[in-house]
């Protein structure tokens, strides 16, 4: 087997760390960087080369993956004073797996193109668990001709790699899914709460919904009512899972893109507000299914 | 085979008509009535005995099914001057398949009990098609000991007969399901619309949602976007299916029970308002998935 | 001066008590009753005659005022086994100052008319303070010819007595006002919170709103932000004033009448849900302006 | 009287045109530009000097006012290839009266400071009428020491010039006011509609609200119900006034700033969605009080 060429990786946080490890496992030499040097130690011990900043990574690797918390970080990592585009090689493939505003993805793609490089957006679904086990789903936007090249790398880290269309559509798909997920979760929580108040057993109600037209992922796979289902955060005091704060962030992106495209999203918008209120009332780090608890009467009331 | 004893049927509308026919098909002599005499003709030709009012039906049959449009009709059919309870026999089994306020079901049960009769609520899901083919789902509330007796009749008209608990819980389950359905449908419509505006192909977006956590019945079985799916109202200019006006009615019931039990239902409540606005803007008789159309930019805008 | 004829008063709670006292002050002999005997002591010491139930009051007085917590209490006080209508005299004037569903007011009016009596709805605005000082506003619905007779009594307890139209319109006016009040209060709270986050001084922002088109009663008379205004509950940790629970009740009435008349009330409906969520999160007995606090980031977050 | 020094004016649209005229009236020589040359003719005939682009204006005038439709236009006019900052003189005073995102105002201020100039945001309330009669209200954000200099110019065009605080707070005040205005307008429309359905006369209901706690600018100054008030758009088929599309734009700004500052604005957000739905249903150019019409039952329904 010919040795594989090196891959750059920028952003070694909760998600980036296990993703980069999976590249190493698949035999790719990894050249990485992170704004927090301590985040790099584990990768370094596993054999990754650690550099000071994105520009230096771009100087050495012509395939780079970025995994960062939000739009400003991505803008900085690409177009900042030590950003990728300062030293990017012609023909490089730049894949951004952060969840950000699709408009920013498009800007990055334009900036990359000016330098002769190709930018693709490839946000993921599936959390830290899926990142560790290499079972992420990637939603990919960008020039179709480059999809095969991107797929080769993404397959090391994910179970599904879906081509969505032009640059930004990966983000669009991610944002759309999470908006509908939030609506389904709050809707399921309201519904289960109402049913319980009306005298229905929660397990029975979940069963009825799941064989009827009320069925959704939040009712049949991730039920927010403690005791209805095993192995989900509602059974563990809403710890683990996908934090309310992260859901609020994604709903903020959905809200912004809806505002910018003048698209009415009444339920998505209210879902955003509810998760925002929850953050203000102490639910920021609980799983987003804790909206069931937020809507319930407090004990002692 | 011993001949079966007769069954009373009150309310021969779009749903009641095919339901009563299925009782006849299963060999039950049917004694029926309806406030509109012309609704009775077809049943009469098929061998049913037609009487003037519910009291007369109750005088002859000790198992009676009611299928009426709304709470006031049910109250009248049971407790009105010519209502069932005027002549009901001791030990009669009264099954109401209307979709009404669970509080009214409980009142009817109390009133029936005073006369020595048993009342159960058994609303259905599945529309006229399922009523004709005997594939309805019945959600049944009432005394558990009587469930077997009810099941015998309901099995002639439905594919699923689910026991939900005490009187009123059948209605509760129905109302809960439809509230979550409405939320899922509006959510799916907003999401598909936003995705399309962001450049995603609708079929591809539906596919991505359906393999992800945004999945729900409205996205994978009854998609509101024309062209995504065959055999659903969105492919037929939103004709047929479940009318916006009927959904608004069910959401009104959900709203009332939530208000009466002091349960917060923020998305259910907004869904109610949106279907109410649609009724005011000419969508009353279109399928409830036409909310996709309602949220889209008008042509020529 | 000829001695005045006696007036019946049913319901001596927080509001009824000072209202009945004002009738005594104006020289009217009062015959009263309440389901809680201890509520009657103070009135008895001031000279009122206390009877056992509404029927007995109706037997002695032909002008009766009722002031009760909610629709079921009113139904019972009028049509229950010991209700007013059991012994009401022909030609009696029955004035209900409770805040209830206008549909119930209409039912009571029909029932009273059958007994030859006249029923009017006359809910109040202004709280316990206005009740004590005789400064309530009465919104009166009923037969116009009887308005003058009602006014004579209501003037003893209120500063404004407004004729609104047929029976039920007094309730309608009350419910409409409180729905718009709730919307204005939540809107003001959101707006002030947003402005503060954007760097505006709260007093300055209130001043700007109050000289502009954002002005409303909640911004200029009852500002929800501590420190902006003196003598309002926001300056006293949201104690006193009009409780969140009471506002949620009135919004429930608004919601029910809107549902029953098929009227879309999107913001009123969401306001209802927000006050309902607040009740579930420990705000039930705080003044309704505490929604500002509910929407703010918790300390330590 | 010493002759006044010249003032630059960029953006001669519906608002900018009468504003610039008022500067001329007050004796200021005006140097203007607009992307549409035809917009400049009238000013030129009145004696203004017309130049090709903002950079040229900045080359000649050291006090410049900009009045543009939205954030991208402002960014271009200041930092674009022919933007003000290309040729701005040290010590220049740059006043932006556009309604834009406060974050953009802050960016412009930073960019101006780098060139030695001072930037202030000074959005207006009051429409074309107030612009013509010089009765605008200016909400001004920026360095306090420069406020007097700004006031001198703004007084020529407005009746109120309010200092709000640091750069961006003028925009913040404007956005906050309009968000509360939108909430009050929709709330008033729902409430009036509900009251009318419940049998209240609209004029009487408006009178009751306006003497009670439901009172707001939309109920007492700009009532949305035809026939309640004279001289407002509701009396003129919702023509003139402040367009639904413009309100939707301002609510989009409010939404974005709320999202960026993580501030929950549930009613503001729903108001945004409602105005967005109205734009999709043909109300874009009607006055924003037409939400009353949008919520009403269609004729013939």
């Amino acid at each position: 087997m010919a040795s594989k060429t090196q891959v750059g990786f920028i952003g070694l946080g909760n998600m980036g760390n296990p993703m980069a490890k999976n590249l190493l496992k698949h035999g790719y030499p990894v050249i990485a960087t992170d704004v927090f040097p301590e985040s790099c130690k584990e990768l370094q011990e596993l054999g990754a080369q650690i550099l000071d900043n994105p520009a230096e990574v771009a100087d050495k690797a012509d395939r780079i993956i970025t995994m960062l918390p939000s739009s400003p970080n991505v803008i900085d990592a690409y177009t900042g004073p030590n950003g990728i585009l300062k030293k990017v090689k012609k023909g490089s493939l730049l894949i951004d797996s952060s969840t950000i505003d699709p408009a920013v993805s498009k800007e990055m793609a334009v900036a990359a193109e000016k330098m002769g490089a190709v930018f693709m957006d490839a946000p993921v679904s599936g959390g830290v668990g899926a990142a560790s086990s290499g079972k992420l789903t990637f939603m990919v936007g960008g020039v179709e001709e480059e999809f095969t090249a991107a797929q080769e790398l993404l397959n090391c880290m994910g179970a599904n790699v879906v081509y969505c269309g032009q640059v930004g559509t990966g983000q669009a798909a991610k944002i759309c899914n999470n908006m509908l997920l939030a609506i389904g979760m709050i809707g399921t929580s309201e519904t289960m709460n109402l049913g319980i108040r009306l005298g229905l057993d929660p397990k029975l109600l979940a069963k009825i919904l799941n064989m009827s037209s009320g069925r959704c992922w939040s009712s049949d796979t991730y039920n927010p009512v403690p005791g209805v289902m095993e192995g989900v955060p509602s059974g563990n005091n809403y710890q683990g899972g996908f934090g309310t704060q992260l859901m609020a962030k994604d709903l903020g992106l959905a809200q912004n893109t809806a505002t910018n495209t003048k698209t009415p999203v009444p339920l998505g918008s209210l879902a955003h507000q509810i998760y925002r209120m929850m953050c203000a009332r102490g639910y920021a780090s609980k799983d987003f299914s804790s909206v069931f608890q937020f809507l319930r009467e407090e004990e002692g009331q």
Side-chain angles (χ1 to χ4, degrees), chain A:
Chain A
M1 181 181 113
S3 71
K4 293 179 175 172
T5 60
Q6 50 207 2
V7 175
F9 205 104
I10 293 162
L12 297 171
N14 291 335
M15 292 294 289
N17 183 295
M19 288 168 70
K21 279 188 206 162
N22 277 320
L23 284 172
L24 285 172
K25 273 188 209 160
H26 280 76
Y28 286 97
V30 169
I31 306 179
T33 193
D34 192 283
V35 287
F36 299 107
E38 62 271 36
S39 303
C40 301
K41 280 186 188 163
E42 195 185 351
L43 260 285
Q44 193 164 25
E45 285 162 12
L46 291 169
Q49 182 182 356
I50 306 300
L51 298 178
D52 274 358
N53 56 52
E56 292 186 11
V57 172
D59 193 37
K60 298 227 169 167
D62 62 4
R63 291 185 294 178
I64 302 176
I65 293 164
T66 49
M67 187 62 177
L68 298 157
S70 65
S71 297
N73 307 110
V74 171
I75 293 171
D76 192 55
Y78 281 86
T79 64
N82 293 311
I84 292 169
L85 300 184
K86 286 286 183 231
K87 297 208 178 170
V88 72
K89 300 176 185 174
K90 285 211 171 174
S92 289
L93 176 61
L94 311 173
I95 302 175
D96 180 36
S97 284
S98 321
T99 296
I100 59 167
D101 191 321
V104 173
S105 300
K106 287 181 191 169
E107 286 172 28
M108 294 305 105
V110 169
E113 202 183 358
K114 282 185 188 159
M115 310 300 295
V118 171
F119 175 95
M120 304 187 93
D121 55 310
V124 302
S125 80
V128 172
S132 298
S133 59
K135 294 277 173 62
L136 291 167
T137 294
F138 287 90
M139 289 158 272
V140 185
V143 184
E144 194 159 10
E145 293 74 44
E146 301 290 335
F147 179 60
T148 313
Q151 226 174 351
E152 184 197 323
L153 293 180
L154 300 178
N155 276 337
C156 305
M157 302 178 280
N160 291 295
V161 182
V162 186
Y163 182 68
C164 296
Q166 59 186 18
V167 166
T169 54
Q171 298 295 350
K174 169 77 187 285
I175 285 173
C176 283
N177 182 71
N178 281 15
M179 186 174 88
L180 189 48
L181 168 60
I183 292 169
M185 180 53 81
I186 301 176
T188 300
S189 297
E190 295 179 9
T191 301
M192 294 294 299
N193 191 26
L194 179 60
I196 292 166
R197 294 272 186 100
L198 294 174
L200 286 159
D201 172 74
K203 278 196 177 183
L204 176 65
L205 176 54
K207 192 183 137 197
I208 292 171
L209 295 173
N210 292 341
M211 59 187 261
S212 310
S213 48
R215 165 176 62 77
C216 63
W217 185 88
S218 297
S219 71
D220 69 16
T221 302
Y222 206 88
N223 200 289
V225 181
V228 165
M229 206 168 261
E230 289 189 6
V232 289
S234 60
N236 189 27
N237 200 23
Y238 303 106
Q239 294 184 330
F242 185 53
T244 289
Q245 204 161 27
L246 293 171
M247 181 52 99
K249 178 211 153 193
D250 284 4
L251 290 167
L253 288 174
Q255 185 71 67
N256 280 349
T257 60
T259 298
N260 295 340
T261 57
K262 302 187 179 176
T263 311
V265 289
L267 297 193
S269 181
L270 183 51
H272 178 211
Q273 299 304 315
I274 290 169
Y275 278 114
R276 191 52 71 205
M277 286 189 265
M278 287 174 66
C279 287
R281 299 255 63 76
Y283 286 75
S285 59
K286 291 191 179 192
D287 179 67
F288 79 115
S289 66
S290 63
V291 63
F292 174 74
Q293 197 182 53
F294 178 71
L295 294 172
R296 295 217 81 179
E297 195 91 10
E298 273 184 339
E299 279 176 57
Q301 282 297 106

